[in-house]
Amino acid sequence: MHELKDLRPSSVTGISAHQLARALDTTVHSGPAETLITGVTLDSTDVQPGDLFVAIPGFKRHGAEFAAKAIAAGAVAVVTDAAGISMLAGMEDIAMLRVSNPRVFAGLAAALVYGNPGKSMRVVGITGTNGKTTTAHFVHHVLAALSGPTLLIGTVGVSLGEVHVSSARTSLEAPVLHRVLAWALERGAQNVVMEVSSHALSLYRVAGLKFDVSAFLNLQRDHLDFHKTMESYFEAKASLFAADFSKRAVICIDDGWGERLAQMVRIPTVTVATKSAADWQVVSHSLNQKDAGTDVTIRAGEADLRLHCPLPGMINVQNELTALAVLVSLGFEASSVCEELARTPGVPGRMEVVAERSSSTPLVIVDFAHTADAIKSACAALDPVTPGSLWILFGATGERDRGKRPVMGAAALSSADYVVLTDDDIYGEDPAQIRAEVAAGFAGVAGRARSAWVSDDRKSAIHEAVLAASPDDTVLIAGRGHETIQMVGEKAHVLDDRVEARVAVSKRSVQNQLGEVGGEEKTACPKLRTISKTWEDFQ
């Protein structure tokens, strides 16, 4: 089984410290300038002999504190800022470079050390608050089918052919990114599709890479614990579309942020939209009863195209339409792309069907929806395929933007018939406080929910919701998607929503045989504490 640290090219020509410094407009501060550098890393635990260790100023500690450990592991050179240099007195026998911004330097240096692998492949970047993973999977599937081996990098992990490894973050640190690109190129990869997060752009994780096409999907409230304001969040996303980063752009203008971005960019741009005029626009759509997907007619200039989206909801039509425009921008023929897009397999944890509806079992869906808009979109997608009631189970993440919590609560209560509020990743916060802040959004919300419950045990909550639902109902388990670990404090607990939902479905099957489940009025879930027995209690 592969790990991310294993994805290294088998050989690297390398570059001397002097050549690297000269190429990036700096000098070797001290030590032997002819030192050969064959790798780059920010992580002292990831060092291989011949590596350049980049000591960055962190949020809590300076990377220079770990330089001695990196050197002991085989690092042959260190690059850092002035503060780091002052911490490394007495290490003048190793090649040392001083730069103003080690993070930027890390990506540029890694690109050079690994031979600029990105220049030898088509590179596609996908950004936006919601839909990055699904859109990336659409593009990846078509490129792999029509072009050849295609590397995929994103929230679900890093994949090339039969190799798949998990990743702790959506976008890899720049030195790891270029190393993985070199590894993929060595194995015949012709294309790269990657999700590009706002954190990656703010922290220079894509430095040294230029995208052939970059796509923007939407911007919704998220990550304000990091960006502080929506304006700052937008500016981070918009930076991907500068000429230094991207050759061409595909921009969805379904929201005001997309419209604004399309007016700002100065690179060749194609606009797409599901509900307004654009270069590529949806002119009609209808529910496909066979697979709960959507049949779509798209207008591009004077031509109309037929497209089938195999995933439910207009949010996924938006994702697929963006993917179509990206692929045509790369030079592929539109009708062939449409045919292949319709065959895209399901995306892990994105509208993933855990249990199909039957005469005795509700439809059970696991989705990554973790913002208010994503919750609304997911519920709207499932309403047309739900003859009975729609359930949503969700929670909010600890140590993240607290302001979005009540907004999520209001979205859930106005979008579903039955609401189960539980925990997501808690980290170091008090989970009861997190739930209380979400539940504050229930007050004064006009609309739909008839009952709501709260649980401090997500696993039990999943079981209770699946057992309580009727066969005509749909149960949406939202927020964590493909994730298999729940963080409580600093402890990682194994918790896969899909696994627990399947266990609950199995329990339901046994109880069905005993005549103990389904069809009752949902005024109580035995193991869930009632917030409200009826909707009227919220008024």
Side-chain angles (χ1 to χ4, degrees):
M1 184 162 178
H2 290 84
E3 297 181 20
L4 193 58
K5 65 181 181 180
D6 299 324
L7 306 188
R8 291 177 175 267
S10 61
S11 63
V12 177
T13 301
I15 186 171
S16 74
H18 170 68
Q19 291 172 316
L20 181 62
R22 186 174 60 183
L24 297 180
D25 198 27
T26 187
T27 59
V28 177
H29 176 75
S30 62
E34 297 308 314
T35 297
L36 182 65
I37 296 169
T38 55
V40 182
T41 185
L42 299 173
D43 184 355
S44 62
T45 67
D46 186 44
V47 171
Q48 295 290 315
D51 277 358
L52 166 69
F53 175 62
V54 183
I56 63 173
F59 294 113
K60 297 180 179 179
R61 302 174 69 179
H62 199 294
E65 295 179 41
F66 305 94
K69 180 179 178 181
I71 294 166
V76 295
V78 175
V79 61
T80 190
D81 58 7
I85 289 289
S86 68
M87 297 169 66
L88 299 178
M91 295 186 182
E92 287 79 7
D93 56 337
I94 189 168
M96 201 170 298
L97 291 75
R98 184 175 69 185
V99 298
S100 59
N101 192 327
R103 273 197 172 275
V104 175
F105 188 89
L108 301 176
L112 288 171
V113 169
Y114 293 114
N116 286 302
K119 291 185 176 181
S120 299
M121 296 179 277
R122 292 189 190 94
V123 184
V124 174
I126 311 290
T127 197
T129 305
N130 294 318
K132 294 188 297 296
T133 300
T134 300
T135 305
H137 273 75
F138 275 130
V139 176
H140 173 263
H141 170 76
V142 176
L143 285 175
L146 300 183
S147 175
T150 300
L151 176 68
L152 177 64
I153 302 173
T155 308
V156 177
V158 178
S159 300
L160 178 64
E162 298 302 313
V163 176
H164 177 80
V165 301
S166 298
S167 174
R169 47 174 66 101
T170 297
S171 302
L172 305 175
E173 290 286 5
V176 180
L177 171 62
H178 290 286
R179 186 180 76 202
V180 170
L181 293 176
W183 166 84
L185 182 64
E186 195 175 73
R187 282 152 184 78
Q190 299 178 32
N191 316 288
V192 183
V193 183
M194 61 181 291
E195 300 174 47
V196 185
S197 69
S198 58
H199 287 71
L201 292 161
S202 297
L203 298 173
Y204 309 103
R205 290 176 184 159
V206 290
L209 186 63
K210 190 161 188 175
F211 296 87
D212 291 283
V213 181
S214 292
F216 174 88
L217 294 164
N218 50 66
L219 195 74
Q220 298 158 10
R221 177 166 182 151
D222 202 12
H223 306 305
L224 295 195
D225 54 302
F226 180 80
H227 294 290
K228 308 306 180 187
T229 67
M230 287 296 294
E231 186 67 24
S232 176
Y233 185 22
F234 172 73
E235 289 172 359
K237 294 286 191 185
S239 68
L240 177 61
F241 299 88
D244 288 345
F245 265 137
S246 301
K247 299 176 184 176
R248 295 185 297 282
V250 171
I251 299 175
C252 179
I253 56 173
D254 276 340
D255 67 20
W257 298 104
E259 292 179 343
R260 178 178 167 187
L261 180 63
Q263 295 169 0
M264 287 172 51
V265 297
R266 296 294 179 263
I267 57 177
T269 299
V270 171
T271 58
V272 302
T274 64
K275 51 191 179 186
S276 63
D279 297 322
W280 293 73
Q281 66 184 79
V282 171
V283 293
S284 67
H285 59 89
S286 60
L287 176 68
N288 185 297
Q289 296 291 344
K290 183 177 180 181
D291 65 358
T294 309
D295 295 320
V296 186
T297 300
I298 295 165
R299 183 156 298 152
E302 299 299 319
D304 283 358
L305 292 168
R306 295 297 178 89
L307 178 65
H308 175 69
C309 180
L311 299 173
M314 289 305 293
I315 185 64
N316 285 311
V317 172
Q318 180 190 93
N319 296 335
E320 189 180 35
L321 176 58
T322 302
L324 171 60
V326 165
L327 289 154
V328 172
S329 295
L330 287 173
F332 293 91
E333 198 270 326
S335 61
S336 298
V337 172
C338 288
E339 291 176 8
E340 202 57 55
L341 282 169
R343 292 191 279 267
T344 304
V347 183
R350 271 65 180 174
M351 284 294 179
E352 184 173 349
V353 177
V354 174
E356 295 183 350
R357 190 183 312 287
S358 72
S359 60
S360 60
T361 304
L363 175 64
V364 182
I365 302 284
V366 169
D367 189 66
F368 194 59
H370 63 287
T371 67
D373 286 305
I375 286 171
K376 291 177 183 177
S377 295
C379 289
L382 294 174
D383 269 335
V385 297
T386 304
S389 298
L390 178 60
W391 295 65
I392 183 169
L393 181 149
F394 77 111
T397 307
E399 298 184 359
R400 298 295 185 270
D401 177 14
R402 294 174 63 183
K404 79 173 187 177
R405 292 173 186 172
V407 186
M408 291 173 65
L413 211 70
S414 62
S415 302
D417 300 298
Y418 299 105
V419 174
V420 179
L421 171 59
T422 186
D423 295 333
D424 201 298
D425 288 321
I426 298 165
Y427 295 106
E429 274 199 73
D430 175 4
Q433 178 66 25
I434 298 172
R435 294 192 300 271
E437 291 179 7
V438 176
F442 293 172
V445 176
R448 177 170 174 180
R450 300 198 290 274
S451 295
W453 300 272
V454 66
S455 172
D456 60 1
D457 183 339
R458 189 179 181 98
K459 175 179 175 180
S460 295
I462 291 170
H463 291 196
E464 288 297 307
V466 172
L467 290 171
S470 297
D472 283 344
D473 295 352
T474 296
V475 179
L476 170 62
I477 302 169
R480 302 186 67 249
H482 68 287
E483 295 176 355
T484 60
I485 297 296
Q486 183 185 36
M487 294 302 299
V488 180
E490 295 183 355
K491 294 182 179 179
H493 297 264
V494 175
L495 179 63
D496 187 326
D497 288 355
R498 299 164 297 180
V499 169
E500 297 307 328
R502 291 186 185 104
V503 170
V505 170
S506 296
K507 285 184 179 179
R508 184 184 176 96
S509 178
V510 172
Q511 293 187 18
N512 274 325
Q513 294 174 21
L514 299 174
E516 297 176 352
V517 68
E520 301 172 358
E521 182 65 24
K522 294 93 173 175
T523 56
C525 286
K527 295 182 181 178
L528 305 183
R529 182 167 63 82
T530 302
I531 294 178
S532 168
K533 291 184 178 180
T534 64
W535 164 248
E536 285 72 22
D537 291 343
F538 288 111
Q539 304 306 301

